[in-house]
């Protein structure tokens, strides 16, 4: 009986060791796969960014010389690539929300929606960055874009919303004095739209 107990104990120990080794192996494999997946997604984003850059350099610079058909094709290609890039950035953010690169992905999404004229979506992603990544190194630029969209791009200007957007920027602790003065000056002249400011 004593020998049987020892054998049973040894067998259980072996099973436990094998299970732990298997779990560790699975964990290592999962981490390796996740790392490869992350790098693969980063590479996809970089590749598509480069494609868009080439499209701008090769075609975007000479739109005034394009035929109407060529211009339509350029705008369509650009729109498709922009949407693909938005989806790739959001995929990375959804898969790796705790990764520091995710804030940059959302900033790209904000920029891409702004460039396409989807201003409400651009501002929504700017708000998401401020909420989820308050320490983001480019937070000032993100919130500046939201303020500029409200101030200069939205046809029906809401001065209360615009003021709130600039005051949100003024509340940031790492704002330079010069930038702070610029926002305060803008708040004092919110009754003037972009055209009126430029004509002064």
């Amino acid at each position: 009986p004593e020998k049987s107990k020892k054998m049973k104990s040894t067998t259980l120990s072996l099973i436990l060791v094998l299970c732990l080794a298997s779990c560790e192996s699975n964990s290592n494999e999962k981490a390796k796969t996740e790392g490869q997946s992350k790098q693969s997604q980063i590479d996809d984003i970089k590749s598509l960014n480069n494609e868009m850059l080439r499209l701008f350099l090769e075609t975007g610079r000479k739109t005034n010389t394009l035929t109407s058909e060529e211009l339509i094709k350029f705008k369509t290609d650009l729109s498709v690539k922009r949407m693909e890039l938005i989806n790739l950035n959001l995929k990375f953010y959804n898969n790796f929300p705790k990764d520091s690169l995710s804030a940059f992905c959302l900033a790209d999404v904000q920029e891409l929606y702004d460039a396409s004229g989807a201003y409400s979506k651009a501002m929504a992603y700017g708000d998401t960055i401020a909420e989820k990544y308050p320490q983001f190194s480019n937070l000032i630029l993100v919130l500046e874009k939201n303020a500029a969209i409200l101030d200069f791009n939205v046809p029906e200007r809401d001065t209360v919303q615009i003021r709130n957007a600039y005051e949100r920027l003024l509340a940031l602790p790492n704002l330079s004095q010069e930038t702070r003065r610029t926002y305060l000056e803008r708040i004092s002249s919110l009754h003037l739209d972009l055209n009126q400011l430029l004509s002064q």
Side-chain angles (χ1 to χ4, degrees):
E2 189 64 33
K3 187 175 181 182
S4 174
K5 279 184 184 177
K6 283 185 178 178
M7 283 188 68
K8 191 178 285 186
S9 174
T10 304
T11 303
L12 286 172
S13 295
L14 277 170
I15 290 170
L16 183 60
V17 167
L18 287 171
C19 282
L20 287 171
S22 174
C23 287
E24 187 177 341
S25 174
N26 288 340
S27 176
N28 289 341
E29 193 60 35
K30 185 180 177 185
K32 185 179 177 184
T33 304
E34 184 177 293
Q36 289 172 341
S37 170
K38 184 184 289 188
Q39 189 56 51
S40 173
Q41 289 184 44
I42 292 170
D43 291 342
D44 287 344
I45 290 170
K46 285 180 179 176
S47 175
L48 191 50
N49 259 316
N50 289 336
E51 282 182 38
M52 284 188 69
L53 181 60
R54 278 197 301 273
L55 187 61
F56 272 117
L57 294 175
E58 293 170 7
T59 311
R61 285 180 169 179
K62 53 181 183 180
T63 51
N64 58 332
T65 66
L66 300 178
T67 64
S68 56
E69 290 82 4
E70 289 171 334
L71 189 59
I72 290 170
K73 184 181 184 307
F74 165 69
K75 288 183 177 179
T76 303
D77 289 348
L78 188 60
S79 180
V80 169
K81 288 185 188 301
R82 186 184 287 131
M83 204 61 237
E84 286 177 3
L85 191 53
I86 285 171
N87 289 333
L88 284 178
N89 277 295
L90 289 178
K91 180 182 176 184
F92 186 93
Y93 160 69
N94 287 321
N95 287 339
F96 310 104
K98 293 182 179 178
D99 193 286
S100 59
L101 286 176
S102 286
F104 289 95
C105 287
L106 290 185
D108 277 350
V109 171
Q110 182 200 33
E111 176 67 38
L112 290 161
Y113 272 130
D114 180 36
S116 67
Y119 299 125
S120 59
K121 288 185 177 182
M123 288 188 292
Y125 281 105
D127 289 339
T128 300
I129 295 167
E131 178 191 340
K132 294 186 177 294
Y133 306 99
Q135 304 305 317
F136 180 44
S137 57
N138 290 342
L139 186 59
I140 292 174
L141 295 177
V142 166
L143 294 183
E144 271 186 342
K145 184 169 290 297
N146 273 16
I149 289 171
L150 286 168
D151 200 355
F152 306 122
N153 296 118
V154 177
E156 298 296 324
R157 295 176 72 252
D158 184 331
T159 54
V160 173
Q161 282 191 349
I162 299 168
R163 175 182 290 274
N164 288 340
Y166 284 117
E167 286 179 347
R168 190 181 189 183
L169 279 158
L170 287 167
L172 296 176
N174 55 336
L175 213 58
S176 71
Q177 288 303 313
E178 185 180 349
T179 306
R180 191 175 296 279
R181 279 195 299 272
T182 300
Y183 296 152
L184 287 169
E185 285 173 12
R186 183 62 191 127
I187 286 174
S188 69
S189 60
L190 286 182
H191 58 286
L192 301 175
D193 63 20
L194 180 59
N195 290 330
Q196 290 168 324
L197 281 172
L198 293 174
S199 64
Q200 278 190 330

